[in-house]
Amino acid sequence: MSFVEYGDTIKDGDTAIVFLGHESMFPVKVQHGTVTQTKYGVIRHSTDLIGKKYGSKVTCSKGGWVFILHPTPELWTMNLPHRTQILYSTDISIITMMLELKPGSIVCESGTGSGSLSHALIRTVAPTGHLYTVEFHQQRAEKAREEFREHGVEHLVTVTNQDVCKNGFGVSNVADAVFLDIPSPWEAIGHAKSALKAEGGRICSFSPCIEQVQRTCLAMEEYGFTEINTLEILLRVYNVRTISLQIPDLGKAAEDNSSTGFDSSNPSHHGSPCANLQQGTVQFKSGVPLREVVGHTGYLTFATKS
């Protein structure tokens, strides 16, 4: 099993996603002889998972069922254990596009955190690219190495435990892109410039506060970066619902009905909007925004090494 190569069959040692619903799923490490408890009952790894195909519908001990999904960076982002605050797919997608990443790209990242963005970067640059990720916290760096090894992508990533603001990324003039998610990104701009290739490399800095963005932009200008711009990505989801609105009384409803040849006794007209005119309402489909939407996550500042 690998996060960058799809496998058909669930094997011992794989990481799989147990899907109970769009709002309910969790990761599980498949191990022979192990069981997993769900609200629908027990899943026995030896008989219910190992050897089955990914995407299979598995019946639990209480009669309910779940789906077992192959892990992807997107599913991992929704289910990973949080060691730090993470980036979600909305920001990750624009980062990947604006950094112009593709298979074979070399990327430097700091900090690694919970590895949400790291998995997406690895999938994008595979099979010939490489990710150099730096994490200041030793335990988080060790946990990231362990996860990359379990997920079959350790050959595509190098994890370093050091302070990027003092020691840099450990590489020079090779990176196609650099990503910074640290409290003081302006202190690492010089190291980012050193890590980037001679010309045309892209850099992105994620910061939740506009004051951080201001200092980072000044540092980018000082080190000669061009095309500096800052984005904020806000996601607004709409639900399609049936809306009923009262028809205004314009005083000519009866004449309009007779002029159009509307026959209320004709059953074929009962399903049409005109049938609701007698009731004073009309129904139609409309997009309605959610009552609660995801707000500000952070500012994304992009620039190019000239």
Side-chain angles (χ1 to χ4, degrees):
M1 185 277 301
S2 171
F3 272 54
V4 298
E5 296 177 0
Y6 184 81
D8 289 330
T9 306
I10 304 172
K11 299 180 179 62
D12 189 11
D14 282 2
T15 297
I17 305 297
V18 180
F19 181 90
L20 292 83
H22 288 290
E23 302 297 328
S24 179
M25 63 184 89
F26 60 89
V28 61
K29 185 173 181 179
V30 179
Q31 293 179 313
H32 185 78
T34 303
V35 298
T36 296
Q37 294 283 350
T38 73
K39 63 181 180 181
Y40 301 127
V42 171
I43 300 174
R44 295 174 176 82
H45 294 200
S46 300
T47 57
D48 297 334
L49 299 184
I50 297 176
K52 300 291 181 65
K53 286 189 175 183
Y54 279 106
S56 296
K57 184 177 179 179
V58 173
T59 302
C60 304
S61 61
K62 293 182 180 179
W65 48 266
V66 299
F67 288 106
I68 307 299
L69 305 181
H70 192 285
T72 65
E74 290 78 15
L75 288 174
W76 186 245
T77 291
M78 298 171 64
N79 295 281
L80 58 78
H82 285 227
R83 299 183 289 272
T84 60
Q85 185 60 264
I86 69 169
L87 291 178
Y88 290 91
S89 296
T90 306
D91 288 316
I92 291 174
S93 60
I94 196 71
I95 291 169
T96 303
M97 183 188 73
M98 294 294 288
L99 290 181
E100 302 173 1
L101 301 181
K102 58 185 182 299
S105 296
I106 306 298
V107 187
C108 293
E109 175 197 26
S110 182
T112 311
S114 301
S116 174
L117 176 64
S118 303
H119 283 80
L121 295 178
I122 291 170
R123 195 260 309 273
T124 303
V125 304
T128 56
H130 202 83
L131 172 66
Y132 295 91
T133 182
V134 178
E135 173 56 53
F136 176 78
H137 194 277
Q138 182 179 358
Q139 290 181 334
R140 288 201 292 263
E142 293 174 353
K143 185 61 178 178
R145 290 193 192 99
E146 179 184 342
E147 285 182 350
F148 293 143
R149 184 171 56 256
E150 290 179 352
H151 297 165
V153 296
E154 71 276 8
H155 61 291
L156 297 169
V157 57
T158 299
V159 182
T160 306
N161 173 219
Q162 63 187 28
D163 186 351
V164 71
C165 296
K166 296 179 179 179
N167 307 114
F169 293 93
V171 295
S172 299
N173 302 320
V174 297
D176 297 289
V178 169
F179 177 79
L180 298 174
D181 183 6
I182 54 178
S184 52
W186 55 89
E187 296 181 1
I189 299 299
H191 294 296
K193 183 177 181 180
S194 300
L196 286 169
K197 59 186 181 182
E199 185 176 355
R202 294 280 286 167
I203 184 174
C204 174
S205 174
F206 177 90
S207 296
C209 302
I210 196 63
E211 292 81 7
Q212 294 170 303
V213 174
Q214 292 171 332
R215 295 189 64 175
T216 302
C217 289
L218 291 174
M220 288 178 175
E221 289 181 345
E222 180 182 348
Y223 281 96
F225 284 90
T226 59
E227 300 177 342
I228 303 172
N229 63 89
T230 299
L231 308 176
E232 181 184 21
I233 310 301
L234 299 177
L235 179 65
R236 192 177 187 187
V237 179
Y238 283 79
N239 281 339
V240 177
R241 297 180 180 175
T242 300
I243 305 297
S244 297
L245 289 181
Q246 186 173 6
I247 299 175
D249 184 8
L250 302 179
K252 293 185 178 181
E255 291 80 358
D256 291 343
N257 288 344
S258 60
S259 63
T260 57
F262 174 73
D263 184 4
S264 60
S265 63
N266 189 343
S268 64
H269 290 154
H270 288 173
S272 66
C274 295
N276 291 323
L277 293 177
Q278 302 298 326
Q279 303 173 1
T281 62
V282 62
Q283 294 184 338
F284 61 95
K285 297 291 185 181
S286 177
V288 180
L290 301 180
R291 293 182 179 273
E292 296 182 1
V293 297
V294 177
H296 171 75
T297 56
Y299 300 102
L300 295 168
T301 301
F302 297 91
T304 303
K305 182 179 179 180
S306 62

